[in-house]
Amino acid sequence: MKRKYILAAAALFVIAAVTAGCKAIDDEPSAAVNADVPMPSLTTMEKLTESLAETDTDLAEYAVADTGTSQTVQTVQSETAVPAIPAVPAGGDAEPDEFRTETATQAESADTAVESISLTFYSVSLETGQSKMPIVTMLPENASDKSEIWESSDPGVAKVNELGSITAVSEGNCIVRVTSAQNPEVSAEVEVTVTAGAQITYIGGILVVNKTYALPADYNPGVDPEAQAAFERMQADASEEGLNIYISSGFRSYDYQAGLYQRYADRDGKAEADRYSARAGHSEHQTGLAFDLNSIDESFADTKEGKWVSRNCWRYGFIIRYPADKEDITGYKWEPWHIRYLGEETAQAVYDSGLCLEEYLGITSEYQD
């Protein structure tokens, strides 16, 4: 046991001597200081190293036998070891599991196609002039594109707009179909039966109201939502150009129009009132498809808003219903403020033709008395 302690002490002496020597070399303040440091000879160093090597095994046995702490040391080292760092993929930081899951879900959703379409009804009976719209559900819920395509097998019997609102035009039967824009193989159908209702006239799929063709007193649809949405798009685009257009008069009921016309007739006489105001049942405002914009005066045509509307309203599905120099055909004076919704395709066709609506459809506009 003494031998082991002596060897350990010798080892500490060697380490201290070497350390002191290194420090002396680094600092080297003077030769006198260096001289005071005892430096072991090479032979002594070799002997000490050899002795330590011979006692390595003995010292290890001593640690286990006499103190029983070697296992404890190993355990502590294991517990305090620096945890292994997972390898990072080339090109960047490791991706968190939750992010990988979300990305995978998004990718899966982007590839999910519509598999089925259900409707709140698959058959409907309408009277001419009536409208009804089914609610559409496309499955699965996470389908990436639920856009709808609507079409009617006979628009002369019932027409349908892009939102799925079905409008009865004339007596008969037809099929209205909705198809998935993403997956054309998936569709659903509504069987439409149209019966005679209020006396309403459609020509070429266009609801016609003028001095020749009238609406019944109980026809009261309110503002047409498709026409309203089209106007709002037009209004927004005009606003981006610094222009302000607004509806000063929209839908009018039969009774409201009767009172309005009578006031004009009382003031200006019936013949003059007939040039600028419609009799009850003959006003386009009762359709919910006509709007008067801004100031109801011919001066509107000379404003920036009036000029813009005249050039661009067809792009949104409207026409200037009563153009200049067409009074003998339309039955009304020029009204640059009065626009009528026909839908974008028809409005462009009428605009490109340079004709008023009566000319375009080949109809008259004359009161019977």
Side-chain angles (χ1 to χ4, degrees):
M1 184 68 65
K2 290 182 179 180
R3 176 175 172 269
K4 293 174 182 177
Y5 283 129
I6 292 172
L7 290 173
L12 292 175
F13 169 77
V14 171
I15 292 172
V18 172
T19 302
C22 291
K23 184 177 187 311
I25 293 172
D26 288 341
D27 295 342
E28 201 168 2
S30 65
V33 173
N34 291 337
D36 293 338
V37 177
M39 295 295 293
S41 65
L42 182 59
T43 301
T44 303
M45 289 289 292
E46 289 175 350
K47 289 180 179 180
L48 286 171
T49 300
E50 182 179 353
S51 298
L52 286 171
E54 291 176 354
T55 58
D56 279 347
T57 303
D58 292 338
L59 287 172
E61 292 174 353
Y62 166 77
V64 175
D66 291 0
T67 68
T69 59
S70 64
Q71 185 136 3
T72 302
V73 172
Q74 291 175 1
T75 302
V76 171
Q77 288 177 342
S78 175
E79 290 177 350
T80 58
V82 178
I85 300 176
V88 177
D93 295 335
E95 188 178 77
D97 290 340
E98 60 270 21
F99 181 78
R100 284 197 295 271
T101 302
E102 181 180 353
T103 303
T105 301
Q106 291 175 347
E108 180 181 351
S109 177
D111 295 334
T112 302
V114 172
E115 297 176 359
S116 65
I117 297 177
S118 63
L119 305 174
T120 49
F121 60 83
Y122 296 89
S123 64
V124 64
S125 294
L126 301 171
E127 293 183 352
T128 54
Q130 289 185 329
S131 297
K132 194 169 184 180
M133 183 171 69
I135 297 175
V136 180
T137 301
M138 291 192 174
L139 297 175
E141 293 184 357
N142 65 337
S144 57
D145 183 357
K146 296 184 179 180
S147 302
E148 306 165 7
I149 299 175
W150 289 90
E151 58 183 344
S152 171
S153 63
D154 189 347
V157 173
K159 62 180 182 177
V160 62
N161 66 18
E162 60 184 10
L163 301 177
S165 179
I166 304 168
T167 301
V169 176
S170 61
E171 293 182 78
N173 298 278
C174 69
I175 298 295
V176 169
R177 178 181 295 105
V178 58
T179 303
S180 165
Q182 182 190 41
N183 185 1
E185 295 181 0
V186 178
S187 63
E189 297 180 347
V190 178
E191 296 181 0
V192 182
T193 301
V194 180
T195 58
Q199 190 57 43
I200 298 173
T201 303
Y202 281 87
I203 298 177
I206 299 172
L207 175 58
V208 177
V209 179
N210 61 13
K211 291 182 176 181
T212 301
Y213 303 93
L215 295 170
D218 61 354
Y219 185 78
N220 191 33
V223 176
D224 183 86
E226 185 178 340
Q228 179 69 36
F231 171 76
E232 290 173 357
R233 290 196 302 272
M234 182 171 68
Q235 183 182 47
D237 289 348
S239 178
E240 289 186 357
E241 298 187 29
L243 304 175
N244 179 29
I245 60 174
Y246 54 89
I247 296 173
S248 54
S249 182
F251 171 76
R252 300 177 196 160
S253 68
Y254 182 98
D255 292 339
Y256 182 93
Q257 187 66 31
L260 183 65
Y261 173 82
Q262 191 60 51
R263 289 196 296 272
Y264 290 144
D266 292 344
R267 185 188 69 183
D268 299 328
K270 188 174 181 180
E272 185 61 23
D274 281 341
R275 296 185 63 200
Y276 62 83
S277 182
R279 299 177 187 178
H282 293 270
S283 172
E284 280 202 326
H285 287 277
Q286 192 181 343
T287 67
L289 296 165
F291 304 128
D292 287 342
L293 306 181
N294 294 35
S295 60
I296 303 176
D297 190 276
E298 290 183 3
S299 62
F300 176 67
D302 296 324
T303 65
K304 291 181 180 179
E305 285 80 3
K307 292 176 181 178
W308 189 90
V309 168
S310 179
R311 292 193 307 268
N312 296 285
C313 69
W314 63 271
R315 302 176 189 277
Y316 304 90
F318 296 94
I319 62 169
I320 303 297
R321 181 64 178 88
Y322 308 118
D325 304 323
K326 299 285 186 178
E327 183 177 351
D328 59 331
I329 303 172
T330 65
Y332 296 100
K333 294 171 60 175
W334 178 37
E335 294 188 357
W337 64 84
H338 182 110
I339 59 175
R340 161 67 194 273
Y341 184 73
L342 298 175
E344 293 180 17
E345 184 177 348
T346 303
Q348 181 175 0
V350 174
Y351 177 83
D352 290 343
S353 74
L355 306 173
C356 66
L357 188 59
E358 280 75 15
E359 290 174 311
Y360 183 81
L361 296 176
I363 60 177
T364 62
S365 179
E366 301 173 352
Y367 287 131
Q368 298 302 309
D369 56 354

